Amino acid sequence: MTKYRYADWLLRALMVTLFTLAGAMKLTAHPFELHGFARFGYETWFMYGIGLIEFAAAFALLHARLLLPSVALLAAVLVGAIASHLRVGDPLAEAAPAFIALAMLVVLAGLHWPGRRSAQGA
């Protein structure tokens, strides 16, 4: 197994875990999520929608054909989270987890970008 394959599976495992837990917290209406979405001015149905997206896309990261679309969808959710924090005046530190997760998704996308393997001769 190459070092890229290890990095790929480590990132996938982290992302699947992160977004499964984040989605589950939203889908079960955890008080932390209810408070956060209310503070951002979003309706409860929106929280459930984001939770469903996170939960489904987390598992889609495990399927080769769905990986890049899932990364794009999760990246859009994270950009929305970052924008929401900034819109309500939160310090950048509040959005740091979303920034870090977004960076990890960018690396994961880079590992699977079309043509990357053919460029390496693998």
Side-chain angles (χ1 to χ4, degrees):
M1 214 180 232
T2 68
K3 63 182 175 183
Y4 294 112
R5 187 165 268 172
Y6 286 124
D8 173 34
W9 282 106
L10 176 63
L11 278 174
R12 282 199 215 196
L14 288 170
M15 295 289 92
V16 168
T17 302
L18 171 76
F19 286 107
T20 299
L21 292 173
M25 286 178 64
K26 290 170 184 71
L27 291 172
T28 60
H30 190 279
F32 174 81
E33 297 293 348
L34 285 169
H35 173 73
F37 274 77
R39 194 168 64 80
F40 293 145
Y42 300 133
E43 299 288 333
T44 305
W45 66 264
F46 187 70
M47 177 189 70
Y48 289 121
I50 295 297
L52 184 61
I53 288 169
E54 288 176 338
F55 200 79
F59 288 101
L61 290 173
L62 299 173
H63 302 284
R65 289 186 178 181
L66 299 174
L67 188 130
L68 288 176
S70 300
V71 166
L73 187 58
L74 291 170
V77 167
L78 290 171
V79 168
I82 292 165
S84 295
H85 280 288
L86 298 178
R87 186 174 53 87
V88 298
D90 285 344
L92 282 178
E94 291 284 325
F99 277 115
I100 293 166
L102 184 58
M104 292 169 65
L105 285 174
V106 168
V107 171
L108 186 58
L111 290 172
H112 290 273
W113 202 255
R116 188 188 78 75
R117 288 193 178 135
S118 63
Q120 291 180 353

